[in-house]
Amino acid sequence: MPDSHPSTHHGQSHIRMPMTPRTVSLPLDRTTNLTTFPPPPSPSPSPSPPAAAVSVVPSSAPVTPLPPLTSFPPPLPALGDAPPEAATNAVLVQSVAIPPEWKEREVKGIDFNDFAGRDVTVPELIKGMTKMGFQSSNVARACEIIDDMRTWRDPETNTPATIFLGYTSNLISSGLRETIRYLVQHKHVSAIVTTAGGIEEDIIKCLAPTYLGSFSLDGATLRSQGLNRIGNLLVPNNNYCSFEDWVMPILDTILAEQQASRNDPRIAEEDKLVWTPSSIIARLGKEINDESSVLYWAWKNDIPIFCPALTDGSLGDMLYFHSFRASPARIIVDIVSDIRRINTLAVRAKASGMVILGGGVVKHHIANANLMRNGAEWTVIVNVAGEFDGSDAGARPDEAVSWGKIKPAGRGGRGAVKVYSEATIVFPMIVAATWASHREDGEGVEKGKDRKEAEQVLANSPASSTTTRGG
């Protein structure tokens, strides 16, 4: 049968296959060129060579055997009796000689076996946290700094340090309000900076309670029920209605007193009544007349409360509504007088301490006042903010040093620390271990004096008359 050959049928090409398969015998002593498929890749950058030939070799050619399976992969070379020098040098780096004074810095926690058979006091707990590390050591350091600032006395006048306390509104909404009230009630602080919520929430709690809720409660459901959520706290909206009912008549009186003063020709222009945020706040503290209130004790003890953001809250809402109610008359609030007042407190202080809970306006307003005296001697900051975003809330004390708001160590600074913690967790412990501690060992109020004697010294000191009541 002849080989198949192409032929054409009606303009189409087709192949005619042989009817009987043929066996092709290749002599073993010659090479037959067969085109390989697929063709091998051509090396680059040389031009493509002709198709490679397949060589058919005689069956008698020697064949190299494959290696046994046990030799793949090949065995690792022997390492010898010693580890590699590079690994040794990397892992076993020698330390410098440890200074002898580091003996006092050995990490060690509280051993509750030392208190077997009795309760552990808060000061003992804090002392046991001093060398524990992380934020526990910062809490203990905060207590040391507060003890130093609150017991310091000017060697010439015996005047105590001026202590600025700052806190955000959420802390008044929380149960930390009672801790803050304690400090103000017993004159442990000289001046306060807070936000509008820190004012109104204190008043509102005198009118109606705030309740524990949950962080996970649905916002839309709460809105339909007239319940406002602050973290895991719930404030019925009726509370703010009660606040409106209470505050509006007081705003009427404040406006009437302002108008009467301005219209009285017998009063010199410089003596006419001018309301400031701090004087309005003092008036609210006087009017609420409730010993559970921070504002009440601040008014009673002549401790000014500054609020540069007075309108940023429900109190601002009330001032807004009142401006329509009293139109065209309007309450005029002078903020410049307050900035003069807080800055003057800082400038005239024999020594200054800052205790700041939270961040934002309360933190910066206090720090900026202390810039006027080239920095505070003591600083304790408690919040959870990080500094990666450049916020003032997240800034560590060292950043404030760069601005002149905190004195550095060696140049008048006596201690600064930031405790990274939510304030309701640690601040009650800090207060219990410092201001509220009844120790008589000299680590507290004054050596050789008990709490009542120390408070009498504070009441009779020149600092007790350095502030004036607003309103």
Side-chain angles (χ1 to χ4, degrees):
M1 176 78 66
D3 290 338
S4 63
H5 60 86
S7 62
T8 302
H9 178 67
H10 298 297
Q12 295 182 351
S13 173
H14 70 278
I15 297 176
R16 199 158 135 197
M17 300 300 295
M19 298 300 293
T20 306
R22 296 179 59 189
T23 302
V24 179
S25 299
L26 298 177
L28 296 180
D29 58 349
R30 58 178 291 193
T31 299
T32 304
N33 291 328
L34 299 176
T35 302
T36 60
F37 185 83
S42 58
S44 179
S46 303
S48 299
V54 177
S55 177
V56 181
V57 297
S59 59
S60 60
V63 178
T64 303
L66 294 173
L69 293 177
T70 54
S71 64
F72 184 83
L76 295 173
L79 295 179
D81 296 331
E85 183 179 359
T88 302
N89 293 339
V91 175
L92 304 178
V93 176
Q94 293 297 305
S95 303
V96 298
I98 302 301
E101 58 268 23
W102 277 33
K103 179 64 177 175
E104 300 300 319
R105 300 169 63 177
E106 181 181 353
V107 175
K108 187 178 298 184
I110 187 169
D111 187 347
F112 289 101
N113 289 319
D114 295 340
F115 307 95
R118 69 176 182 86
D119 293 337
V120 182
T121 67
V122 176
E124 289 170 336
L125 177 66
I126 297 295
K127 185 176 181 180
M129 294 164 59
T130 303
K131 300 177 184 178
M132 191 176 292
F134 308 136
Q135 294 309 304
S136 62
S137 294
N138 284 352
V139 171
R141 178 60 180 147
C143 293
E144 293 172 358
I145 292 171
I146 288 174
D147 267 341
D148 190 33
M149 78 168 76
R150 73 193 187 90
T151 59
W152 180 90
R153 296 294 181 269
D154 179 69
E156 296 180 358
T157 64
N158 200 40
T159 303
T162 298
I163 300 177
F164 295 88
L165 173 65
Y167 53 83
T168 49
S169 64
N170 58 316
L171 301 181
I172 292 296
S173 301
S174 77
L176 200 64
R177 171 180 181 248
E178 281 64 35
T179 301
I180 294 170
R181 187 222 66 222
Y182 169 85
L183 296 178
V184 179
Q185 178 181 357
H186 295 281
K187 304 180 184 179
H188 291 311
V189 297
S190 311
I192 293 169
V193 176
T194 189
T195 58
I199 306 303
E200 66 211 22
E201 292 294 322
D202 179 69
I203 296 294
I204 289 171
K205 278 190 165 183
C206 297
L207 306 175
T210 296
Y211 301 94
L212 272 175
S214 169
F215 286 102
S216 60
L217 293 175
D218 178 66
T221 301
L222 292 176
R223 179 61 178 169
S224 68
Q225 297 171 343
L227 299 174
N228 304 291
R229 184 170 69 84
I230 305 172
N232 62 345
L233 312 179
L234 293 176
V235 186
N237 208 58
N238 286 346
N239 292 17
Y240 296 96
C241 299
S242 299
F243 177 63
E244 179 182 16
D245 294 340
W246 179 85
V247 80
M248 279 297 187
I250 297 173
L251 296 181
D252 288 339
T253 303
I254 285 175
L255 176 59
E257 292 175 4
Q258 171 191 287
Q259 296 292 83
S261 176
R262 295 177 70 86
N263 295 332
D264 191 338
R266 298 168 299 175
I267 301 176
E269 188 64 29
E270 62 272 16
D271 295 329
K272 292 186 184 296
L273 176 62
V274 177
W275 291 101
T276 65
S278 64
S279 63
I280 290 177
I281 293 166
R283 182 59 172 268
L284 298 179
K286 177 183 178 181
E287 296 291 342
I288 194 62
N289 194 29
D290 188 323
E291 291 191 358
S292 70
S293 165
V294 176
L295 269 59
Y296 168 79
W297 285 108
W299 164 77
K300 190 175 181 65
N301 291 334
D302 294 329
I303 298 172
I305 298 180
F306 298 99
C307 184
L310 185 68
T311 58
D312 186 28
S314 180
L315 185 55
D317 299 342
M318 299 304 106
L319 289 168
Y320 168 72
F321 293 136
H322 187 268
S323 70
F324 293 97
R325 169 174 170 155
S327 182
R330 187 170 302 170
I331 296 173
I332 299 173
V333 182
D334 178 13
I335 63 172
V336 176
S337 292
D338 263 8
I339 195 65
R340 283 173 58 93
R341 188 180 182 193
I342 189 173
N343 286 359
T344 300
L345 276 174
V347 169
R348 294 182 179 176
K350 295 294 185 180
S352 177
M354 304 190 295
V355 179
I356 301 169
L357 312 177
V361 67
V362 303
K363 181 171 182 279
H364 186 264
H365 204 61
I366 292 175
N368 202 68
N370 279 273
L371 169 62
M372 302 300 145
R373 57 177 285 103
N374 202 28
E377 280 76 8
W378 302 272
T379 302
V380 171
I381 302 168
V382 181
N383 68 41
V384 296
E387 65 174 344
F388 66 91
D389 60 353
S391 66
D392 183 77
R396 294 181 294 109
D398 188 61
E399 184 174 313
V401 171
S402 77
W403 288 87
K405 298 170 183 176
I406 297 175
K407 284 182 168 65
R411 283 183 278 176
R414 297 175 66 97
V417 70
K418 177 173 179 178
V419 180
Y420 288 85
S421 176
E422 196 265 297
T424 62
I425 299 173
V426 299
F427 196 62
M429 290 196 299
I430 290 173
V431 171
T434 54
W435 285 294
S437 174
H438 292 268
R439 290 169 292 172
E440 298 180 7
D441 56 4
E443 301 176 9
V445 185
E446 283 191 9
K447 191 170 184 177
K449 297 181 181 294
D450 64 13
R451 172 72 46 179
K452 289 184 178 179
E453 290 172 339
E455 288 182 350
Q456 188 62 41
V457 169
L458 267 176
N460 296 330
S461 70
S464 64
S465 59
T466 58
T467 58
T468 57
R469 180 179 305 170

